[in-house]
Amino acid sequence: MAKLAIKGGRPVRRKPFVSWPVFDKREERELLEVLRSGKWGIGGTKNEEFASKFAAYHQAEFGVTCSSGTAGLEIALKAVGVRYGDEVIVPPYTFIATAGCVLSLGAIPVFVDIDPKTYNIDPNLLEGAITPKTKAIIPVHIGGGPAHMDSIMKIANEHNIYVIEDACQAHGAEWRGHKVGAIGHMGVFSFQSSKNISAGEGGIVVTNDEELADRAWSYMNVGRSRKGEWYGHEVLGGNYRMTEFQAGLLLAQLNRNERLMRRRERNAAYLARKLHDVGGVEHVGAYPEVTRHAYHLFIMRYDKSQFNGLERDRFVEAIRAEGIPLSPGYATGPLYRLRAIAGYKIPGIETDYSKLFLPAAERACREEGMWLHQSVLLGSRKDMDDIIDAFLKVKENASELV
Ligand SMILES: Cc1ncc(COP(=O)(O)O)c(C=O)c1O
């Protein structure tokens, strides 16, 4: 039996996986073009060009670029009119920005558990969380797998609530053949370093509603209005503008996206199949209506009972020692357990998450969830086989680690 690397044995793999970002001459050309134009910010054309191309790619009529996904979420909430004291429904298994943007407006995040089958917000629990104060729902397409948009839109429309899709991990994902982002009233994407399309930082808000797009543009651009005076600020906005360098990079990245998506899809399907041979680790599923998964993360569910009781975190450590960059994901717990959220006091409003326990999210964070990053899925068939070999090796030797 091969000795585990965590115990001093030879790792399954020493070679690194594909590094991210991927770029070539196209990015270089775009950057040089912006550099030489002297139009690095306002006055350039790349932001508008990228906004309209990305929006069209996502079957949305309007796109407003901004400095990050976090900024985009805040802008979208402001655009739909979320204010102090309003409630916004969010899932707890996501990046902090999904709930942080709500708190930063003095509004209250109301956490609804995830569906254990997909790790997306559970549509069956939504209705029970709606109160007269509910103004919006932010479903997250976690890891690039779309949330159940049919149910969410039906409930939201019945209750007159806005839906802002947090599509920060879901570039190119589709729900029943329609790209995510503008299925809801607004959608937000991130172009931060790890994202499937990246400019180091950046974000975009997409929508089919012109009025919401104009408001988003205004909140993004220090409260100016598109047709108004330069110094005629009409609302209090921030400076959330994206530079022309970022927009240029993103034009090149967008061009490459379909090709990279296909490669991720092939490898993800292969990995998901091969995981059946391992047993005890399975790819977290997508709803049948998902016609395209963006695979920002390849999220898996770990079942320690099939590994001699070996805890997920110890399994991840052992796999990492074998040379596979496996992550335990949001292992610090559901968002409502983070000090930044739990300890945040909205002036004049009592929020207390100390007794909240959402079982599916707790399990996903602490016991079951594990990820591989999208860049790993850009590798070869052999790369995928190494991952499976490492899983099999650790499984065979699990008793040594418990
Ligand atoms: C689900 C989710 N929402 C929001 C964000 C925030 O995006 P950004 O890092 O661009 O601010 C991220 C990414 O980091 C994310 O993964």
Side-chain angles (χ1 to χ4, degrees), residues 68-70 73 94-95 97-98 140 166 168-169 190 192 195 202 330:
S68 68
T70 304
L73 286 169
T94 171
F95 184 64
T98 313
V140 177
D166 182 339
C168 284
Q169 303 183 357
S190 161
Q192 165 270 351
K195 298 303 187 294
Y330 300 122

Side-chain angles (χ1 to χ4, degrees), residues 100-250:
C101 64
V102 179
L103 285 169
S104 67
L105 297 184
I108 307 160
V110 174
F111 293 98
V112 164
D113 206 0
I114 54 172
D115 178 344
K117 293 192 295 296
T118 65
Y119 285 10
N120 285 120
I121 197 162
D122 191 334
N124 296 316
L125 302 177
L126 270 183
E127 200 116 40
I130 293 172
T131 76
K133 287 194 203 159
T134 311
K135 190 83 189 229
I137 304 173
I138 310 183
V140 177
H141 304 309
I142 197 72
H148 202 291
M149 290 311 292
D150 288 354
S151 306
I152 293 167
M153 292 314 295
K154 182 166 178 287
I155 294 166
N157 288 334
E158 279 166 12
H159 292 268
N160 224 356
I161 293 168
Y162 284 105
V163 174
I164 297 170
E165 295 175 58
D166 182 339
C168 284
Q169 303 183 357
H171 316 74
E174 287 176 12
W175 176 260
R176 283 199 292 104
H178 203 285
K179 290 261 194 297
V180 299
I183 299 172
H185 303 92
M186 303 187 95
V188 179
F189 294 81
S190 161
F191 305 119
Q192 165 270 351
S193 302
S194 72
K195 298 303 187 294
N196 298 20
I197 295 178
S198 173
E201 297 292 351
I204 193 167
V205 180
V206 298
T207 180
N208 286 323
D209 183 320
E210 189 165 14
E211 201 181 318
L212 290 179
D214 284 347
R215 277 193 234 153
W217 189 93
S218 183
Y219 284 117
M220 177 275 292
N221 198 354
V222 288
R224 292 192 171 105
S225 79
R226 278 196 200 263
K227 295 182 191 99
E229 299 278 339
W230 185 248
Y231 290 119
H233 308 273
E234 291 178 17
V235 293
L236 198 59
N239 175 357
Y240 297 126
R241 293 187 298 268
M242 178 189 275
T243 70
E244 287 287 287
F245 291 105
Q246 289 165 288
L249 277 176
L250 290 169

